[in-house]
Amino acid sequence: MDLKELYQDIILEHGKSPKNFGKCEKYTHEAKGHNPLCGDQVHVYLKLNNEKNVDNVTFEGTGCAISIASTSIMTELVKGKSLETAKKIVIDFLNMIKNTQEIKSNDLDEDQKIKIMSLSGVKQYPMRVKCATLAWHTLTSAINGKKEEVNTEVID
Amino acid sequence: MDINLIKSQFPIFTKKIKGKPLVYLDSSNSSQKPTSVLNSLDYFYRNEFSNIGRSIHSLAVNATNKYEETRTSIKNFINANSKDEIVFTKNATESINLVASTFGQENIKKGDEILITELEHHSNYVPWHYLRETKGAIIKFAPINDDGDIIISKLKELITSKTKIIAVTHLSNVTGTIVPIKEIVEIARKKNIPVLVDGCQSAPHIKIDVKDLDCDFYAISAHKVYGPTGVGILYGKKKWLEKLPPYIGGGGMINEVNKDKITYASVPEKYEAGTMPTAEVIAFNESIKFMESIGIQNIIKHEKELTNYALEKLKKINSVKIIGNPKNKAGVISFVIKGIHPHDISTIVDEEGVAIRAGHHCCQILHNRLNLSATARASIGVYNTKEDIDILCKAIENCRKVFELK
Ligand SMILES: Cc1ncc(COP(=O)(O)O)c(C=O)c1O
């Protein structure tokens, strides 16, 4: 397999200069995630407004290009969406990574679909799937107000 | 030393990874196995299989003799006083747990101190942590400097009248630091403190002489010494093994069993309860013979040359930083590349058939100390060549290309 399928330009760009990095102001939800196998750490901050829309979502953390890019792309895709849509996007993403399903979401435009599909290369690298999914599980945890840290060794 | 002859003894090197010849630089994790070890396993299971020590038929007698021959080989390999000082376990981790648990039962009370170092593998920390949890022991960490050497003067200062045991690695699986065990034991002797040495990484790479080191315990895993998985060694001074209580109870470790009273076998059987990995112990003898056939001095020389070659070449690659610069370094080379996470490095070099490890290598304390969440690690075995290092360096250049680093 060509490494460029895994390390697509979109991934490299997001890995190098992630979007929505940092702690946002007045966040309403937060959660931490950890991949103990490789030490990847992520902290997701979510700000929902009164209408339950994602006003803002940001993150802090360290990790490989795949995990940083995946987190960065995630924040871009769910920002501005309703909470219900955000949840659907997470499910769609996890299905794509784990069950090799196409993204058929009506909630994403073509550009966003290309972004999310850029992460599908990790399917060929089973040891790297957790790098890509950590942030998405952590976002779910933030939405559900879970207290304990997401641990990839426990959930996947 | 004919490196091609050595490499040809390892069948795995005829295999291709992603269409490329395997460049195996993960021997610190586990080493590959020579044909003699593989043949021994196969031969024993096909022709000689029996459990040991229990029956008196011919097969059992033969198996028992061979099992004991390995014990004698190990005794000579590490220069122990007696073969009774060699206990077979599952791995070095179990060996350390055995000591922590049995020594801890009788010798550790609330407030007592266990001195380890910032270099330790989780295997030489977590077992002692149990004593912190169950007995209220205190664990102290002898610090290292930025080169990755233990600061001996600081270690000395951490010893108090409450220090009950010192547990330290002989060779770091991250920085490759060869630790001056003799010096540490001499310090400990003056205060009558026993010393356990984690010899997991040292056993395949340096000469081990437990008499000369004068340590009280020494732990080894066969799988890192070109031997099979499932076998470890605990060396313990006889006075300790006799004095400490048994660890796992069951068949094989008893003397007499009555409804109201049980007496235990003498050492080393006291610590070998249940059916042991017989075939693996027997095959382990072949890995010792393999090492001895090359000669430990030749192994040291070859690996030293290769380590220096690798360090020099790696340092020339832009943005590669080698972790640690210890006074005495073995062929364990951890590094980071600015702008590329170790996991990405590992995935990319794997495309060239290069096997390295990425992560914290079971040393989170050390990584925290060095302010790193992960490193990439290339570790050398007796079968590695300069060509392997060249391919590694080319693969690293490819990482830089994929990540478009300048
Ligand atoms: C220094 C050190 N100690 C202990 C261990 C544990 O070895 P095992 O898993 O064989 O028990 C290792 C293995 O990586 C090690 O490098």
Side-chain angles (χ1 to χ4, degrees), chain B residues 293-306:
Chain B
S293 74
I294 304 169
I296 189 75
Q297 291 310 331
N298 291 328
I299 294 175
I300 293 172
K301 184 163 165 279
H302 170 67
E303 294 182 353
K304 188 81 208 158
E305 266 174 37
L306 217 50

Side-chain angles (χ1 to χ4, degrees), chain B residues 310 313-314 317 388-398:
Chain B
K313 270 202 94 158
L314 284 167
I317 304 176
D388 290 341
I389 304 300
D390 294 341
I391 297 172
L392 167 71
C393 290
K394 239 174 84 191
I396 291 175
E397 289 288 1
N398 191 38

Side-chain angles (χ1 to χ4, degrees), chain B residues 352-387:
Chain B
E352 308 296 325
V354 180
I356 61 167
R357 184 160 172 196
H360 52 57
H361 322 298
C362 302
C363 288
Q364 287 194 24
I365 302 289
L366 178 55
H367 277 76
N368 290 344
R369 161 65 181 80
L370 299 171
N371 284 324
L372 296 163
S373 63
T375 51
R377 179 185 74 187
S379 54
I380 286 167
V382 65
Y383 31 61
N384 287 120
T385 61
K386 285 192 174 167
E387 201 191 351

Side-chain angles (χ1 to χ4, degrees), chain B residues 28-30 90-94 96 119-124 169-173 198-201 220-224 231 357 361-363 377:
Chain B
S28 285
N29 187 347
S30 198
K90 186 167 71 184
N91 46 37
T93 300
E94 190 180 60
I96 299 168
L119 284 180
E120 300 316 308
H121 188 279
H122 296 163
S123 293
N124 199 20
T169 188
H170 201 167
L171 203 166
S172 160
N173 62 313
D198 174 358
C200 227
Q201 293 295 338
I220 297 174
S221 277
H223 71 93
K224 294 193 203 267
V231 184
R357 184 160 172 196
H361 322 298
C362 302
C363 288
R377 179 185 74 187

Side-chain angles (χ1 to χ4, degrees), chain A residues 1 3-4 6-7 9 12 16 36-40 62-66 125 128, chain B residues 18 341 343-345 347-348 351-352 358-360 364 373-374 398 402-405:
Chain A
M1 152 147 180
L3 276 170
K4 267 291 165 195
L6 179 62
Y7 294 105
D9 288 342
L12 293 178
K16 221 178 282 177
L37 279 189
C38 53
D40 287 357
T62 56
C64 61
I66 309 292
Y125 296 85
R128 305 300 301 278
Chain B
K18 309 212 163 175
H341 189 276
H343 276 101
D344 297 315
I345 302 171
T347 295
I348 297 170
E351 290 297 312
E352 308 296 325
H360 52 57
Q364 287 194 24
S373 63
N398 191 38
V402 170
F403 272 71
E404 291 158 8
L405 294 188

